[in-house]
Amino acid sequence: MNKNILKSYLAPGISALVLVLVPGFLIKAGLLSPYTGQVFVLGGINAIMALSVNMICGITGQLSLGQAGFMAIGAYSTILLNTHFGIPLVVAVILSAFITALFGILIGFPTLKLEGDYLAIVTLGFGEIIRVILINLKSLTGGPNGMQFNTILTFDIGFAYWAIIGVLALIVILTQNFIRSTYGRAILAVREDPIAANSNGISVFKYKMIGFVIASAIAGICGALYVCQIGFIKPEQASFTKSIDYLIFVVLGGMGSTTGSILAAFVLTYLQEFLRFLQDYRLLFYPVLLIIVMIFRPQGLLGTKELKFAKFPSDVKNWVLGIKSKFGKKEAK
């Protein structure tokens, strides 16, 4: 471990830190165009949404096709709380996460007793119901024309980058600690073998519900950040195709891999903009890439691999103690 600590921990850690910090400083210094900065910010938003899908599909092991519906709920809740009730923006974003989690409970309670394709169909229907309701509640949602909502994140792309990347980092820290907790271990046990988990006293429905609600809350936060940064939202944001787009991030990155989901979200967001000169033909890129990955690497680009930082402090401590003991032996001689 002493010889490989730089390779195993510091190298990937520094690389990840550079990849996060450099774009922010370049945007702030004006060395990146607002358009390029917008692509990075959108990649961060998509990464948060990929974490939501990964929580329910990769970690909990349930196929949900309605995550875009939760994202739309979070976005519209933020607008209504801020404009109609005068609640400060930051508080409105936090409350939107709780509101979306409440919808997760209401939807999950009757549906999580289903599995596989049946659950996917029900969640798909939920997303479509949300979309239709948003279209018809014209007095509150603006109907099919959507709503505008301009904030500081809309006009200051540098501030938006740091805010969204900061929220992304916070969600990664919280979800990783949750996965390593007793609840997270129980959810992983349910994912691997529900019958065995149930026989060992783990409530399958309870832990499925916990994973589903957490995924819903993350989607709500993502929707709130999306509307704050883009400055506009339409009911189409809750459509089935949007849910599939977010699911592709997780499938390509690796089901259950937080690192893979984030990387796939950023890479595919950039590629979609890079291929914009192909116009609508660029939309063929996703299915072709998905087919190639499913044929040659069905577990996704990273599988279930993660950047490992959990044992970093203790490993460094052991490394330092090892060096001290070596010097102590030399002095004794």
Side-chain angles (χ1 to χ4, degrees):
M1 174 60 211
N2 296 342
K3 297 180 180 179
N4 297 326
I5 188 169
L6 292 177
K7 180 179 178 182
S8 301
Y9 293 93
L10 290 183
I14 292 173
S15 300
L17 193 62
V18 169
L19 289 174
V20 169
L21 295 180
V22 169
F25 287 121
L26 292 177
I27 293 170
K28 206 66 178 176
L31 298 177
L32 285 181
S33 66
Y35 173 75
T36 306
Q38 179 71 37
V39 174
F40 278 107
V41 171
L42 186 59
I45 293 172
N46 287 337
I48 295 174
M49 196 61 197
L51 292 180
S52 170
V53 178
N54 186 55
M55 176 58 69
I56 184 63
C57 296
I59 305 301
T60 310
Q62 304 298 307
L63 181 56
S64 172
L65 299 179
Q67 292 305 106
F70 292 114
M71 182 179 179
I73 291 173
Y76 279 98
S77 297
T78 301
I79 297 175
L80 295 176
L81 289 172
N82 183 254
T83 58
H84 286 63
F85 297 97
I87 297 176
L89 184 60
V90 175
V91 179
V93 171
I94 296 173
L95 289 177
S96 296
F98 284 102
I99 291 172
T100 313
L102 178 60
F103 273 91
I105 294 173
L106 295 176
I107 299 300
F109 188 79
T111 61
L112 288 179
K113 297 176 183 178
L114 304 172
E115 295 182 358
D117 298 340
Y118 299 102
L119 178 62
I121 293 172
V122 171
T123 53
L124 186 155
F126 158 72
E128 288 301 302
I129 290 171
I130 292 298
R131 186 181 67 85
V132 172
I133 291 175
L134 293 175
I135 289 175
N136 287 279
L137 284 178
K138 297 181 181 180
S139 59
L140 291 177
T141 65
N145 295 324
M147 299 179 70
Q148 290 188 342
F149 185 65
N150 295 323
T151 66
I152 185 174
L153 274 71
T154 310
F155 300 107
D156 190 340
I157 198 68
F159 180 80
Y161 177 84
W162 290 115
I164 289 170
I165 295 300
V167 173
L168 172 62
L170 179 62
I171 292 174
V172 169
I173 293 171
L174 293 176
T175 53
Q176 286 300 299
N177 279 279
F178 172 77
I179 292 169
R180 297 187 183 101
S181 69
T182 305
Y183 289 95
R185 301 291 184 184
I187 289 175
L188 293 176
V190 170
R191 180 192 68 181
E192 295 300 326
D193 194 332
I195 297 176
N198 188 58
S199 65
N200 283 278
I202 297 175
S203 174
V204 174
F205 177 77
K206 172 185 173 181
Y207 287 102
K208 282 183 179 180
M209 177 68 79
I210 291 174
F212 192 79
V213 171
I214 292 175
S216 303
I218 296 174
I221 294 174
C222 181
L225 294 175
Y226 174 86
V227 73
C228 288
Q229 203 286 310
I230 300 298
F232 182 75
I233 186 73
K234 292 179 67 175
E236 292 304 316
Q237 192 62 40
S239 65
F240 164 70
T241 55
K242 289 291 183 180
S243 294
I244 293 298
D245 288 343
Y246 301 129
L247 181 61
I248 289 175
F249 296 150
V250 178
V251 172
L252 290 180
M255 283 283 193
S257 172
T258 298
T259 307
S261 300
I262 293 173
L263 288 176
F266 274 101
V267 170
L268 291 181
T269 301
Y270 176 78
L271 285 178
Q272 188 177 21
E273 296 300 322
F274 179 76
L275 298 174
R276 189 170 288 277
F277 66 94
L278 296 176
Q279 298 180 359
D280 289 343
Y281 290 103
R282 79 184 191 279
L283 300 177
L284 296 174
F285 175 78
Y286 275 11
V288 171
L289 181 61
L290 187 61
I291 291 171
I292 293 173
V293 171
M294 289 298 98
I295 292 175
F296 296 102
R297 190 170 175 81
Q299 69 270 37
L301 297 178
L302 291 185
T304 57
K305 295 180 180 178
E306 301 281 6
L307 287 176
K308 298 180 180 179
F309 300 101
K311 298 182 180 180
F312 176 69
S314 60
D315 286 332
V316 172
K317 181 180 178 181
N318 293 333
W319 180 52
V320 173
L321 291 175
I323 293 175
K324 286 183 176 180
S325 64
K326 288 182 180 180
F327 278 107
K329 289 180 181 178
K330 289 181 179 180
E331 290 176 358
K333 292 180 179 179

